Amino acid sequence: METKFIFVAGGVMSGVGKGVAVASIAKILQARGLETTAVKIDPYVNVDAGTMNPTEHGEVFVLDDGMECDQDMGNYERFLGRNLSSKNYMTTGSIYLDVINRERNLDYGGKCVEVVPQIPLFIIEKIKRAAKTNRAKVVIVEIGGTVGEYQNILFLEAVRMLKIKQPDDVALVLVSMLPVLEAGGTELKTKPTQYAVRTLNAAGLQPDIILARGSVPVDDSRKEKLALNCNLRREDIISAPNVKNIYEIPLNFEKDRLSDLLLKKLKLKAKKKDFRKWKKFIHKSNNPTKKVRIGIVGKYFNSGDFVLTDSYLSVLEAVKHAAWSLRADPEITWLNAESYENNPTSLEELKNFDGIIVPGGFGKRGVEGKIAAIKYVRENNIPFLGLCYGLQLAVVEFARDICGLKEAHTTEIDPETPKPVICTMPDQLVNIKKKQMGGSMRLGAYKCKLHPKSISYKLYTTSHPSTLLGTGKLTPNLLTPNFLISERHRHRYEVNNHYRLKLEKGGMLIAGLNPQRELIEIIEIPEHKFFVATQFHPEFKSRPLSPHPLFVGLIKAASEIK
Ligand code: GLN
């Protein structure tokens, strides 16, 4: 049987949850027993998302194979419970780069290479390759941006071409916002969506389904109006109201029988839906028995007057997964690292939290504030989880305060520091010197050997094993001192092994090491209630149904669950 393709485009405006809609469509088809995968197309000329500023574009998500991509890929992995690969992500830049490289290799056999048809044909080829790699029966493709934008015309052209060739194998879904005018009561306005459909029509496309986003559910008369004006039937309009918990969206879609509609459209047969585990998870998340207050000390959330938390999306989701699994309701507060600089009294607010996270980051801004916060939580026995930069700055703080290395620093901030406790490996130095910054960090999955006496070891071997190497259940013979995990990385700097003994003498436990290069992957302070920091990003591997062991550890310590 042919692979089936569901393209998802956005109308009217961006930021209405198209990525989560794609993840939810993938989820409902997966729940019907179909092998499903999701692909994201980003309209940027950037070859990957690694060079994009998180305050502008949101979090840079990292896959096992090192691909730096859009945060929506994280949503796909979380909803599907699957690891995706670089084949599932493309940008305008990466597509052009590949086509130009082909042309340079004479792969077009001397023919003129034109934007149309070569670029759309190449897009189709890439999507088919992604489906094949993932052995998917259905591939859901998210087209970034909104219809009518000049920059995604070639992607729509790819949909048009594929649909002409394989009409029964392609469905097009439009995710469109129905705004409510403040002065007009609560009526959802349909006209902008009607225009979006006309724009698609002008590109030679007709949506098969409209996911009508709105602050409230879409009523029948609005559905009728949209159907009539957008060449659809009323049942092709799916109500997609705002929700508090995004993981409920697949269930909401099913209220309007979205999976049945798609299956019929694509002439697909499937099993009856099975949402048992998912529903159990939703029930747990909606019925907490206690509150846990978590503070996240960062800097990428101030965008003018807005608090933008997208830069830390996976951290946020990982906290939720872990808390919900323990029947706790996470109350998350975003704490601005800069506010702690030269201001010891402001640190007192950290006492109000059950746990503190210092997530990943780059550059000088806010660094001393993060270090001050880490010192405070270390001295006040407040549960702490450091992620990447969070580990590096915890090492700097410990070196300065406990090991007496007053001038300790990371060479990222002070290249001339006499005590470079965090520095670059020679391979990274080459990249920095050549200014080859795109795609050149330590990226993707690396193995890590756990210290048998560490908290991490205990957590990984007792919690849900989503991060364990290999598949299947834990067996007693895995509980050996050489127990390995695999976690994702995105950084240029490392703990300098020259200072390892000094750190250990000061009471720091090296809880995880890279087996090949002896690089420090996890540190802990055994005396502390919970002080764990990782060079990798555990948040990228947390899933709703298998929360990450280290986040579980933080929440357990924070809420004093045994
Ligand atoms: N800036 C640090 C490095 O490049 C940490 C990166 C991160 O937190 N992702 O090593």
Side-chain angles (χ1 to χ4, degrees):
M1 270 225 292
E2 286 290 341
T3 310
K4 304 289 179 175
F5 305 88
I6 300 171
F7 289 91
V8 180
V12 185
M13 61 193 269
S14 61
V16 299
K18 188 150 43 82
V20 174
V22 167
S24 301
I25 295 174
K27 182 81 215 163
I28 59 176
L29 294 175
Q30 186 191 51
R32 303 224 35 187
L34 290 164
E35 207 43 65
T36 308
T37 195
V39 167
K40 165 101 189 187
I41 306 180
D42 248 344
Y44 303 101
V45 177
N46 303 59
V47 172
D48 57 41
T51 50
M52 296 185 205
N53 182 334
T55 339
E56 218 176 283
H57 185 70
E59 168 186 271
V60 178
F61 193 79
V62 182
L63 304 177
D64 270 347
D65 64 10
M67 180 87 217
E68 295 170 282
C69 51
D70 183 85
Q71 62 183 34
D72 281 329
M73 297 290 288
N75 283 322
Y76 305 166
E77 283 201 346
R78 286 186 283 267
F79 277 69
L80 280 171
R82 291 274 156 81
N83 291 338
L84 300 177
S85 81
S86 49
K87 296 221 165 52
N88 293 65
Y89 182 68
M90 60 188 111
T91 65
T92 298
S94 73
I95 291 160
Y96 272 85
L97 194 64
D98 284 352
V99 170
I100 290 169
N101 282 334
R102 272 190 180 184
E103 183 278 323
R104 293 288 81 188
N105 293 339
L106 257 182
D107 287 345
Y108 289 99
K111 289 210 178 83
C112 290
V113 182
E114 297 186 76
V115 169
V116 178
Q118 262 81 25
I119 298 292
L121 285 177
F122 186 71
I123 294 166
I124 295 170
E125 189 185 317
K126 277 198 90 166
I127 295 169
K128 287 191 169 171
R129 236 184 287 155
K132 203 167 165 202
T133 308
N134 290 281
R135 293 204 184 88
K137 179 85 217 77
V138 189
V139 46
I140 332 282
V141 185
E142 176 179 351
I143 300 178
T146 48
V147 297
E149 279 178 64
Y150 184 73
Q151 51 184 352
N152 63 24
I153 281 178
L154 291 171
F155 303 124
L156 296 178
E157 187 62 5
V159 184
R160 195 189 61 79
M161 287 180 179
L162 188 62
K163 206 165 176 169
I164 293 173
K165 279 215 167 129
Q166 300 174 230
D168 290 339
D169 301 331
V170 178
L172 177 60
V173 176
L174 178 71
V175 180
S176 189
M177 187 72 187
L178 273 56
V180 175
L181 287 185
E182 249 175 66
T186 54
E187 186 191 331
L188 296 169
K189 308 300 279 181
T190 63
K191 200 72 88 196
T193 300
Q194 296 180 36
Y195 283 121
V197 171
R198 300 252 159 95
T199 310
L200 271 178
N201 293 161
L205 290 166
Q206 165 64 33
D208 299 290
I209 287 162
I210 294 179
L211 294 183
R213 290 279 295 111
S215 49
V216 291
V218 190
D219 56 283
D220 278 351
S221 76
R222 230 60 43 193
K223 280 188 179 177
E224 195 75 61
K225 195 167 176 186
L226 269 177
L228 190 67
N229 289 294
C230 300
N231 328 311
L232 288 166
R233 301 165 310 162
R234 200 174 79 178
E235 56 266 40
D236 299 326
I237 316 292
I238 306 290
S239 173
N242 290 350
V243 285
K244 243 176 73 198
N245 178 350
I246 55 165
Y247 299 105
E248 284 180 23
I249 294 174
L251 303 176
N252 270 358
F253 284 174
E254 282 303 78
K255 284 184 192 153
D256 279 349
R257 305 171 66 95
L258 180 57
S259 69
D260 283 342
L261 268 176
L262 285 166
L263 293 173
K264 201 161 169 207
K265 166 77 207 151
L266 294 169
K267 299 196 168 63
L268 265 177
K269 284 208 170 53
K271 295 188 186 137
K272 266 174 73 183
K273 56 182 160 239
D274 180 1
F275 272 119
R276 272 169 301 178
K277 282 189 189 150
W278 198 256
K279 278 187 174 162
K280 224 165 138 187
F281 151 73
I282 300 278
H283 179 78
K284 256 187 164 180
S285 65
N286 288 339
N287 292 284
T289 54
K290 58 197 151 299
K291 219 177 206 35
V292 59
R293 297 160 304 173
I294 302 294
I296 300 183
V297 183
K299 66 169 182 180
Y300 295 123
F301 38 72
N302 290 328
S303 169
D305 291 339
F306 299 103
V307 176
L308 196 117
T309 56
D310 264 8
S311 329
Y312 302 107
L313 185 67
S314 294
V315 178
L316 183 62
E317 294 308 306
V319 170
K320 287 189 207 162
H321 304 157
W324 290 340
S325 75
L326 298 164
R327 281 283 169 103
D329 176 21
E331 190 183 272
I332 292 158
T333 308
W334 304 97
L335 304 167
N336 186 350
E338 285 171 283
S339 70
Y340 302 132
E341 285 174 4
N342 309 316
N343 191 358
T345 51
S346 68
L347 285 164
E348 290 295 322
E349 71 170 337
L350 297 177
K351 270 217 169 89
N352 301 329
F353 296 97
D354 303 314
I356 292 292
I357 295 175
V358 175
F362 294 82
K364 195 170 183 320
R365 187 166 65 85
V367 154
E368 290 303 328
K370 287 182 188 171
I371 292 175
I374 294 169
K375 178 173 158 66
Y376 189 89
V377 298
R378 183 177 57 74
E379 289 179 342
N380 289 280
N381 213 13
I382 299 171
F384 164 76
L385 181 62
L387 311 171
C388 206
Y389 217 11
L391 170 137
Q392 296 175 357
L393 299 177
V395 168
V396 170
E397 192 280 317
F398 196 83
R400 284 182 187 175
D401 239 58
I402 303 293
C403 308
L405 306 169
K406 297 273 170 272
E407 293 159 300
H409 219 324
T410 158
T411 55
E412 177 171 357
I413 307 304
D414 181 3
E416 305 304 327
T417 173
K419 305 283 182 239
V421 289
I422 306 293
C423 63
T424 39
M425 298 283 104
D427 41 354
Q428 283 301 336
L429 215 54
V430 176
N431 292 327
I432 296 175
K433 282 201 177 126
K434 284 194 193 155
K435 278 197 140 197
Q436 277 171 353
M437 305 308 257
S440 64
M441 286 187 248
R442 180 146 88 101
L443 289 168
Y446 284 88
K447 287 177 190 162
C448 166
K449 194 167 70 177
L450 297 176
H451 191 295
K453 295 226 168 76
S454 62
I455 301 180
S456 304
Y457 180 85
K458 197 167 160 215
L459 286 168
Y460 274 99
T461 50
T462 52
S463 300
H464 198 102
S466 67
T467 34
L468 303 182
L469 277 185
T471 50
K473 288 210 170 66
L474 268 181
T475 55
N477 63 357
L478 272 177
L479 301 169
T480 64
N482 281 329
F483 185 65
L484 284 177
I485 54 163
S486 166
E487 292 279 7
R488 297 179 186 172
H489 291 247
R490 181 173 185 252
H491 55 100
R492 225 177 273 288
Y493 298 83
E494 309 278 353
V495 180
N496 187 342
N497 265 322
H498 178 73
Y499 294 97
R500 187 166 145 191
L501 255 178
K502 275 210 166 74
L503 294 168
E504 284 175 323
K505 272 199 184 132
M508 183 174 270
L509 176 73
I510 307 305
L513 273 181
N514 172 282
Q516 279 93 29
R517 297 176 65 178
E518 292 280 304
L519 296 169
I520 293 177
E521 298 279 15
I522 311 178
I523 57 155
E524 293 179 8
I525 300 179
E527 264 176 21
H528 195 277
K529 199 169 175 186
F530 185 90
F531 192 104
V532 177
T534 61
Q535 186 55 83
F536 50 80
H537 289 271
E539 68 271 24
F540 293 147
K541 298 274 289 267
S542 178
R543 308 271 164 81
L545 303 185
S546 53
H548 194 282
L550 298 182
F551 280 85
V552 170
L554 173 77
I555 303 292
K556 269 190 181 166
S559 52
E560 290 176 347
I561 299 170
K562 292 280 169 286

